[in-house]
Amino acid sequence: MNPTAEPGATTGGGAHREPTAELLGPVLAIGADTLARSFASRSTKIDGMRRRLPIFVVLLLVADGATAIDRVTFATEAGEQTVEGRVLAADATGGRLVESSDGALTVVTGEEVRGVESDDAPFAPLGADAFAEAMLAELPEGFQVYQTAHYVVCYNTSREYAQWTSSLLERLHKAFTAYWQRAGFELHEPEFPLAVIVYSNADQYAQESRDELGSATGAVVGHYSLATNRVRMYDLTGADQFRRNTGARVSRRDISRLLASPAAEPLVATIIHEATHQIAFNCGLQQRYADIPLWLLEGMAVYFETPDLSAGRGWRGIGKVNQRRLAIFRQNLRTWSPARIAAIVASDKPLRETRTANDAYSDAWALNYYLIQRQPKQYVEYVRMMSERKPLRSAPEDQRISDFTDHFGDLAPLSRELAELMQRL
């Protein structure tokens, strides 16, 4: 997740003249205290029950190319439950990492396992229609489906907003994959449909996302879940309330005009940020639950997050300077030290902690921007190495530093050059 918006909340108001004056509704700020909570959430749902992924599990035996269907029965506080899918990894104690046919991941520890059955039927991801049907069965009444080449969008807001959202995400998918393919990185099509749930308003989103987001729920406009492989968001236009008040519908043209406004920019950027995570984890660039440094995961998403929704110009966000992150970085130049970059390279802690997250996200964006601009070949090779990391196998801190310096050189001179580049932008 990306703490993008400025602190504080604002609301749109006034008589209805232009869509941007009436429909914006509550602009929920995303402060530093919401950093990466949903992205780092190690949890999933099985039959309505939340399962926390134990961070102490070290999965040693990776089941590459597993195709059979496995059924793992395990003990919970609510009784025995069973998850069905393919085992991606197993450890010496009998623990399993299981991927279901809808792309969800479940970790079961060895001591929880009560039985494992396999059959000869090959594992197969759900097709788009079956996937959509399964999602609708989980959601409250009133949801509908809009499908595109890569996305299954479930929504209970207007069809126009679902269409606008899917169009934006398809542009992102096309731009993201083209970018990496031009860089020489071989990507693949998503194995599972990319699931997006769009709620009609912020209150519904907060209620349905509370289990995943906890205390951050009220300050988040959208998030991607590593466990479920889904993006959740709500209608940023406030069209649901507008429709109830006036009986009028909001057109796609109105939506485009509204969400191209400066007030909406950080909100749309957040949706792009979370959707970038989803694409990266589904096209072979990254693996879920692999030990990939947050400076790379989050800094890359910030690099991609700014859309240009001007009429007729489409997606033009890749590589643009992130002005919000640049401003924060420059504010910190008075106390600048190469140790700042060393800190985010060595540990995820600066990006996870409330006190340091806002600055660390800006440092992570700056580091990704610098490496892409100044060491593009080394950057691609580093990303390629990280793409081969296996789930739930952690690397020691000193390896993180050596991995970095092996590709990019010593941290101190690199950090000074980075600071100089940021001053000149």
Side-chain angles (χ1 to χ4, degrees):
M1 183 186 305
N2 172 23
T4 320
E6 300 297 331
T10 62
T11 58
H16 177 62
R17 300 179 187 275
E18 298 292 336
T20 53
E22 180 69 19
L23 301 181
L24 189 55
V27 179
L28 298 185
I30 305 175
D33 61 333
T34 69
L35 69 110
R37 290 177 189 249
S38 65
F39 174 71
S41 174
R42 296 173 174 257
S43 54
T44 189
K45 284 186 176 180
I46 303 172
D47 298 335
M49 177 181 175
R50 179 147 301 279
R51 300 211 16 98
R52 295 289 175 187
L53 294 186
I55 61 175
F56 54 82
V57 172
V58 179
L59 296 175
L60 302 175
L61 309 175
V62 179
D64 290 322
T67 58
I69 294 178
D70 295 290
R71 296 174 183 85
V72 180
T73 301
F74 55 93
T76 73
E77 293 180 358
E80 289 190 355
Q81 298 195 26
T82 300
V83 61
E84 179 179 295
R86 62 182 171 190
V87 173
L88 298 182
D91 69 1
T93 70
R96 302 287 197 281
L97 175 64
V98 184
E99 185 172 48
S100 302
S101 59
D102 63 354
L105 293 178
T106 305
V107 163
V108 182
T109 64
E111 64 181 14
E112 295 172 328
V113 173
R114 294 295 179 267
V116 179
E117 297 179 353
S118 299
D119 58 35
D120 295 332
F123 175 87
L126 290 176
D129 291 341
F131 190 94
E133 184 178 347
M135 286 186 64
L136 288 176
E138 297 177 19
L139 293 168
E141 291 185 8
F143 275 82
Q144 302 178 67
V145 172
Y146 186 82
Q147 295 183 32
T148 64
H150 297 99
Y151 291 88
V152 171
V153 179
C154 292
Y155 65 96
N156 67 346
T157 185
S158 70
R159 182 176 178 83
E160 290 79 8
Y161 191 82
Q163 291 173 327
W164 182 92
T165 300
S166 62
S167 177
L168 172 65
L169 297 183
E170 285 289 358
R171 294 204 305 274
L172 169 65
H173 186 278
K174 181 179 180 180
F176 186 92
T177 54
Y179 176 90
W180 286 107
Q181 287 167 351
R182 286 194 302 270
F185 200 106
E186 293 296 327
L187 302 179
H188 59 70
E189 283 290 295
E191 190 174 12
F192 305 91
L194 301 179
V196 178
I197 302 172
V198 184
Y199 297 92
S200 64
N201 56 64
D203 289 341
Q204 283 188 349
Y205 166 76
Q207 181 177 351
E208 296 297 321
S209 303
R210 189 165 289 111
D211 284 347
E212 291 180 348
L213 298 179
S215 61
T217 302
V220 177
V221 301
H223 70 278
Y224 167 70
S225 167
L226 278 175
T228 65
N229 200 32
R230 298 175 181 179
V231 170
R232 293 177 186 259
M233 64 180 79
Y234 64 86
D235 186 336
L236 298 174
T237 66
D240 180 64
Q241 184 64 46
F242 177 74
R243 186 169 56 251
R244 287 200 298 267
N245 291 343
T246 67
R249 298 180 66 86
V250 180
S251 69
R252 289 186 63 183
R253 183 179 178 184
D254 291 337
I255 294 169
S256 294
R257 291 169 61 191
L258 169 65
L259 295 182
S261 69
E265 181 181 340
L267 309 183
V268 177
T270 299
I271 300 305
I272 295 295
H273 184 105
E274 302 305 319
T276 297
H277 284 313
Q278 186 184 44
I279 297 170
F281 284 117
N282 283 271
C283 70
L285 196 73
Q286 295 157 358
Q287 289 197 48
R288 285 182 285 165
Y289 296 125
D291 186 16
I292 304 172
L294 274 184
W295 74 260
L296 179 65
L297 290 174
E298 295 299 329
M300 182 189 297
V302 175
Y303 184 83
F304 278 83
E305 75 183 17
T306 306
D308 182 348
L309 301 177
S310 301
R313 291 200 282 175
W315 175 266
R316 290 180 56 181
I318 296 176
K320 293 174 64 175
V321 173
N322 190 303
Q323 296 296 334
R324 287 183 175 82
R325 294 301 165 198
L326 178 61
I328 295 171
F329 189 95
R330 283 177 167 170
Q331 289 172 5
N332 294 326
L333 281 175
R334 290 170 295 183
T335 58
W336 173 255
S337 165
R340 292 180 62 90
I341 299 301
I344 63 172
V345 169
S347 171
D348 294 340
K349 185 177 179 181
L351 287 104
R352 293 190 184 280
E353 291 195 345
T354 301
R355 181 178 58 85
T356 56
N358 207 33
D359 292 342
Y361 266 76
S362 297
D363 291 345
W365 165 77
L367 180 54
N368 278 265
Y369 186 92
Y370 168 84
L371 294 174
I372 290 170
Q373 298 296 321
R374 296 296 178 84
Q375 301 192 47
K377 292 182 180 179
Q378 296 90 328
Y379 183 81
V380 171
E381 289 307 311
Y382 183 83
V383 172
R384 194 188 313 278
M385 178 186 70
M386 290 299 166
S387 73
E388 297 171 356
R389 291 278 173 91
K390 302 303 181 183
L392 298 178
R393 300 176 69 180
S394 60
E397 182 176 305
D398 58 352
Q399 183 180 336
R400 284 194 168 198
I401 297 174
S402 63
D403 286 340
F404 185 93
T405 56
D406 287 348
H407 283 80
F408 306 117
D410 292 341
L411 276 162
L414 182 151
S415 298
R416 288 191 291 269
E417 292 176 7
L418 183 156
E420 292 171 0
L421 175 61
M422 293 298 111
Q423 286 179 306
R424 291 197 299 270
L425 285 181

